Amino acid sequence: MNRAVALAAVTGAAYLTRRALRSRIRRSPLWPLPALEEPVSGHSPRRWLRALIVSRSEPAEGVLRLVLESPELPSWTPGAHVDVRLPSGLVRQYSLCGDPALTGRYTVAIRLVEDGRGGSREAHARLVEGAELELRPPRNRFELQPAPSYAFVAGGIGITPLLPMLRAATAAGADWTLLYGGRSRASMPFLDELAAYGDRVTVRPEDESGLPDLAALSALPAGTLVYCCGPEPLMRAVEAAVPAGVPVRTERFTAGPATPYPARPFTVGLARTGTVLEVAATESALTAVRRALPDTPYSCQQGFCGTCRHRVLSGTVDHRDELLTDAEREDSMLLCVSRAADDHVVLDL
């Protein structure tokens, strides 16, 4: 009997030890090295959420609309987007275009880009009603600021982050107009919803009336804020059309105009091993880090998804991403696009 009791005690202790180790490793993937208060290196600090696709529809040619539901979906504000992990593991970003008042429900719309990097093709082919989807909590670098009047300009799928803004501006009693362009009416989603706003909305399909006429932007009254989302040429044209001093806020779905790497190398220090890596002027920090740490995760390689975000312990960063907030840039960088502003940065790796 005593032997049986001792065996049970040993078994129980072993079980508790294994459970404690698993918990410890979850808190710090690099354990037994010291845990971070908020782990960043090697993965995003924003947890993955799970949501069910409860509706799939096509509001326009080549556009997929998904409605996602889960009680754990956080609240959000107009202009926010989410990172979505596709079944293959690719991470892509989509603006939330539903109603922020509907708690536990997100709506996204995805344009099919046949010659893109593959994310939209996978989404259209594999994201079906009843499937589960992983996404990160929303972030917002395109927030709607209070103003007495707004001029909204959308091109194609760029209408998605503006839809919640129109509702919010209407609810706030602000004056606003929307100029919405696209290749054709059939390819422009949400026209039925926009029709409810009457003459505040101007729809300009390119096959009917050519490129949108931006002349009205040159006469915007003081205090007007301009919000634009769409192809890069449209955003550049809007910025050029508005009077000096009128703020223009833009949202991109792809990387902006390429900025050449500086014609000099820099070094990256890996604090956990003491390794110093040389980064050539024509390569990314991610490329150099992966030579030493091949398992370093990455996805978009364009500064959008945040998969290669790592904590910076020292050095000044030349941030070239479209993702991190100003606060996050104080101690983090995206290795795929950002570089050392001087000669050296040290990462928590």
Side-chain angles (χ1 to χ4, degrees):
M1 183 66 177
N2 289 338
R3 183 178 178 182
V5 171
L7 180 61
V10 170
T11 302
Y15 169 75
L16 292 175
T17 299
R18 287 196 302 271
R19 189 170 67 175
L21 284 173
R22 284 196 298 269
S23 175
R24 185 67 180 82
I25 291 170
R26 279 197 300 271
R27 293 198 304 273
S28 176
L30 297 176
W31 186 86
L33 294 171
L36 300 173
E37 292 182 4
E38 184 180 353
V40 171
S41 295
H43 58 87
S44 169
R46 295 182 298 136
R47 69 193 186 283
W48 287 102
L49 309 173
R50 291 182 178 273
L52 187 69
I53 301 174
V54 298
S55 173
R56 171 184 166 127
S57 59
E58 296 185 7
E61 289 179 357
V63 177
L64 170 66
R65 175 170 50 193
L66 300 175
V67 179
L68 317 172
E69 289 188 352
S70 170
E72 62 177 325
L73 295 179
S75 60
W76 58 282
T77 55
H81 74 269
V82 291
D83 301 335
V84 172
R85 181 149 63 190
L86 300 173
S88 67
L90 288 176
V91 177
R92 294 293 184 264
Q93 292 67 46
Y94 303 114
S95 293
L96 294 174
C97 57
D99 185 348
L102 299 177
T103 58
R105 170 177 286 204
Y106 289 173
T107 301
V108 297
I110 305 169
R111 166 81 67 190
L112 177 63
V113 182
E114 291 288 2
D115 58 350
R117 293 176 295 134
S120 68
R121 293 194 300 274
E122 180 180 356
H124 277 246
R126 301 185 62 182
L127 300 185
V128 298
E129 188 171 322
E132 197 174 61
L133 197 59
E134 288 188 312
L135 61 155
R136 291 193 183 111
R139 62 167 62 234
N140 198 338
R141 290 187 58 82
F142 193 46
E143 292 189 66
L144 183 68
Q145 301 296 324
S149 62
Y150 302 93
F152 298 104
V153 183
I157 199 64
I159 189 63
T160 52
L162 301 184
L163 283 176
M165 294 186 181
L166 304 184
R167 302 185 193 106
T170 301
D175 292 329
W176 62 264
T177 60
L178 168 67
L179 176 59
Y180 181 21
R183 294 191 306 273
S184 65
R185 288 183 186 274
S187 70
M188 299 169 68
F190 308 113
L191 290 178
D192 290 345
E193 181 175 336
L194 293 171
Y197 293 118
D199 59 7
R200 288 186 172 189
V201 176
T202 301
V203 177
R204 287 291 181 265
E206 187 174 345
D207 63 347
E208 297 177 16
S209 52
L211 295 175
D213 184 359
L214 304 178
L217 297 179
S218 63
L220 291 175
T224 300
L225 294 185
V226 179
Y227 283 81
C228 178
C229 184
E232 188 68 31
L234 173 65
M235 291 189 287
R236 290 200 301 266
V238 168
E239 290 171 339
V242 301
V246 173
V248 180
R249 292 172 170 82
T250 59
E251 174 86 325
R252 290 178 169 86
F253 287 98
T254 58
T259 302
Y261 288 141
R264 61 172 179 78
F266 65 98
T267 57
V268 172
L270 307 183
R272 295 182 179 240
T273 63
T275 304
V276 177
L277 305 174
E278 300 286 343
V279 183
T282 56
E283 69 178 352
S284 68
L286 175 65
T287 299
V289 169
R290 283 181 58 82
R291 282 199 295 267
L293 301 173
D295 293 333
T296 301
Y298 69 97
S299 182
C300 75
Q301 299 188 74
Q302 292 189 314
F304 274 90
C305 72
T307 304
C308 66
R309 174 184 171 187
H310 288 268
R311 178 164 296 191
V312 178
L313 301 181
S314 66
T316 304
V317 178
D318 175 12
H319 292 284
R320 302 183 178 191
D321 64 272
E322 301 285 346
L323 181 73
L324 299 181
T325 64
D326 291 340
E328 291 168 337
R329 289 180 175 182
E330 292 179 0
D331 65 356
S332 299
M333 70 181 287
L334 299 190
L335 301 185
C336 65
V337 292
S338 297
R339 305 179 68 78
D342 299 316
D343 298 320
H344 185 65
V345 292
V346 177
L347 302 176
D348 184 34
L349 274 174

